Amino acid sequence: MHEMSLAEGIRTIVEEAAQAEGFGKVNAVVLEVGELAAVELESLRFCFEVVMQGTLAEGAALTVERVAGVGWCMSCGESVPIKALYDPCPKCGSYQVQPTDGTQMRVKALDVDGAVERAE
Amino acid sequence: MCTVCGCGVGEVTIGRSAATPRRSDAPTRGWKPVAAHAHAPDHAPPAEAPEAAETMDFGSGPARAHAPGLSQHEMLRIERDILGKNDGFAAANRRWLAERGIFALNLVSSPGSGKTTLLCKTIEALRGRVPVAVIEGDQQTECDAERIRATGAPALQINTGKGCHLDAAMVAQALGRLDLSGGSVLMVENVGNLVCPAAFDLGEAHKVVILSVTEGEDKPLKYPDMFAAADVMLLNKVDLLPHLAFDADKAVAFARRINPRLTVFRVSATTGEGFDDWLGWIDAARAPMAREA
Ligand SMILES: Nc1nc2c(ncn2[C@@H]2O[C@H](COP(=O)(O)OP(=O)(O)O)[C@@H](O)[C@H]2O)c(=O)[nH]1
Ligand SMILES: [Mg+2]
Ligand SMILES: [Zn+2]
Ligand SMILES: [Zn+2]
């Protein structure tokens, strides 16, 4: 997984939100990252710091909310918790498990300084 | 930076422990909906959100009440996929290709699995039947594009520098520069890397993963994302099997454990073994696209 590109993706999202919302500074970026998402968080934190330099999110904290992995086991016919993609079903051992939650990588929210008044 | 290939900026850090997330002590003022798509920089938000627009307009959120001059923490709800931008470009590429009946394949593998050799052989085999063009992705050099051009097919090289994968925006630019004819086949050779390209949709019809018999049988288990993302696996260099301890059945079984729907062809890009099936698959898979265009 390419953490540098992901960090750049976050920067674009932040810049577009700033453009539209006119906030002055970003204090924290809140991500929602599923436990099944293909991303190295350590590496992403490093890239985030580098990529945000010189932007209004320079020095911003990166808060990561994890979402547990869930899959649908075809053999059991029910949702089962899964720790990693392509792991067998914890109940029956089948590999026919389709991930249904925990693969997301989203920017959920921004903690910003709303110093700029927006004309309504 | 990419932990697999060390791509990206700066030096590789080893054993760098994760920074504990600083908790925001800011008082939050409730969630505020923000647009799923931001407006282009020079676009003012429309006064009224258009009826059928897939965008939630920023302007529709509740007005803010700030004490003038006072800087306040505010929580903006964003809810946007980090790869959303790439996926948008990919969707546009896919539409563009479909309108022209162009069948695009995204070839992915470790470096040296034989992507370029396979491409050259495939182009030769399709000569006179269907025009083929190639987009070549490498970190550096024009070498592979030159190898393709030697077959007579047009090829455009994208050098990604430190980047370890092609993205859909790069391909969008390449599409504009290649003179592609309707109903043709476009082969994209991705940067040699079994990890990063899995996450970046380019707008292709199918990802084709190449595994060569000089690699380990367990590669599909070690790099599952790529085998899960692909529709076809070419097990290449089968001409070397007599000289190796590689267990082809085991490799295929591992790949199918990750992706039960995977179509597998055992081929040799040097001898042409297995190419009838591979070319047959291309013909069958592109037929509906070429018809609709
Ligand atoms: N024996 C054998 N060698 C191959 C085959 N396909 C590719 N090669 C060799 O593998 C090396 C790497 O091939 P190349 O096409 O450059 O791989 P790429 O990095 O995936 O584009 C070259 O020396 C090729 O000649 C094959 O089917 N059999
Ligand atoms: Mg090559
Ligand atoms: Zn089960
Ligand atoms: Zn990478």
Side-chain angles (χ1 to χ4, degrees):
Chain A
M1 192 42 187
H2 193 177
E3 282 69 20
M4 202 64 199
S5 293
L6 295 181
E8 285 167 358
I10 297 170
R11 182 180 60 198
T12 305
I13 290 169
V14 169
E15 283 171 347
E16 288 180 355
Q19 192 82 45
E21 288 283 310
F23 50 77
K25 183 174 177 298
V26 179
N27 305 302
V29 174
V30 183
L31 302 185
E32 189 179 70
V33 179
E35 282 175 357
L36 306 178
V39 55
E40 288 285 341
L41 284 183
E42 263 179 61
S43 175
L44 181 62
R45 285 184 186 286
F46 174 79
C47 294
F48 176 83
E49 235 179 275
V50 172
V51 159
M52 294 304 173
Q53 276 166 21
T55 74
L56 71 184
E58 179 162 347
L62 187 64
T63 307
V64 180
E65 296 178 2
R66 302 311 306 264
V67 180
V70 181
W72 175 260
C73 175
M74 315 243 216
S75 324
C76 295
E78 60 179 281
S79 283
V80 292
I82 45 176
K83 288 265 172 294
L85 279 181
Y86 325 115
D87 266 6
C89 170
K91 291 195 163 170
C92 72
S94 156
Y95 281 98
Q96 308 270 355
V97 181
Q98 198 64 35
T100 52
D101 200 8
T103 58
Q104 62 270 65
M105 280 189 288
R106 301 166 68 75
V107 177
K108 193 175 172 193
L110 303 177
D111 178 332
V112 302
D113 274 355
V116 181
E117 196 69 30
R118 190 162 49 127
E120 288 288 333
Chain B
M1 141 209 59
C2 172
T3 44
V4 174
C5 54
C7 59
V9 295
E11 69 292 326
V12 179
T13 48
I14 295 165
R16 192 173 186 278
S17 60
T20 6
R22 276 175 281 159
R23 265 189 59 88
S24 165
D25 53 0
T28 58
R29 303 222 286 91
W31 298 99
K32 180 175 187 300
V34 191
H37 307 265
H39 296 279
D42 49 355
H43 280 179
E48 277 173 65
E51 222 22 77
E54 43 183 320
T55 58
M56 277 162 56
D57 197 83
F58 285 95
S60 60
R64 295 183 197 175
H66 281 165
L70 203 76
S71 168
Q72 282 178 305
H73 281 272
E74 182 167 359
M75 216 50 171
L76 290 179
R77 194 175 187 123
I78 295 271
E79 300 287 359
R80 285 184 61 190
D81 283 340
I82 295 176
L83 287 171
K85 201 98 186 167
N86 185 74
D87 292 345
F89 275 110
N93 290 347
R94 190 164 280 120
R95 264 197 310 279
W96 192 93
L97 291 163
E99 280 161 17
R100 291 159 181 78
I102 299 168
F103 180 66
L105 296 177
N106 178 2
L107 276 71
V108 291
S109 81
S110 311
S113 300
K115 292 182 297 303
T116 311
T117 314
L118 259 161
L119 276 175
C120 292
K121 195 85 176 179
T122 304
I123 291 165
E124 279 160 24
L126 291 175
R127 182 172 296 141
R129 286 169 52 198
V130 54
V132 182
V134 175
I135 295 174
E136 275 291 339
D138 278 299
Q139 293 195 322
Q140 276 167 41
T141 81
E142 276 271 327
C143 300
D144 281 1
E146 279 159 17
R147 282 168 67 188
I148 299 294
R149 285 183 206 120
T151 69
L156 188 70
Q157 181 79 50
I158 299 176
N159 286 135
T160 56
K162 290 188 175 186
C164 53
H165 60 271
L166 293 175
D167 65 38
M170 296 174 187
V171 170
Q173 285 191 29
L175 290 179
R177 288 180 47 190
L178 269 170
D179 191 17
L180 296 167
S181 43
S184 62
V185 172
L186 173 67
M187 305 274 201
V188 182
E189 178 176 339
N190 219 312
V191 179
N193 175 346
L194 262 185
V195 181
C196 312
F200 293 84
D201 183 6
L202 304 180
E204 70 275 354
H206 304 278
K207 282 194 181 69
V208 177
V209 63
I210 292 110
L211 176 68
S212 67
V213 301
T214 52
E215 303 167 61
E217 294 100 343
D218 53 1
K219 261 212 168 149
L221 300 183
K222 289 179 172 163
Y223 301 96
D225 291 320
M226 192 60 87
F227 292 84
D231 295 318
V232 175
M233 175 171 107
L234 298 178
L235 185 65
N236 190 32
K237 309 196 188 180
V238 292
D239 58 292
L240 298 177
L241 278 175
H243 313 287
L244 303 166
F246 186 91
D247 183 341
D249 292 338
K250 199 162 146 189
V252 172
F254 283 153
R256 288 234 169 88
R257 179 193 295 178
I258 299 303
N259 182 352
R261 300 174 315 281
L262 198 62
T263 301
V264 179
F265 300 110
R266 303 180 186 206
V267 300
S268 165
T270 47
T271 69
E273 185 181 339
F275 263 61
D276 286 347
D277 290 340
W278 160 233
L279 297 170
W281 178 86
I282 294 179
D283 278 337
R286 74 182 190 84
M289 285 200 80
R291 250 200 320 274
E292 272 167 36

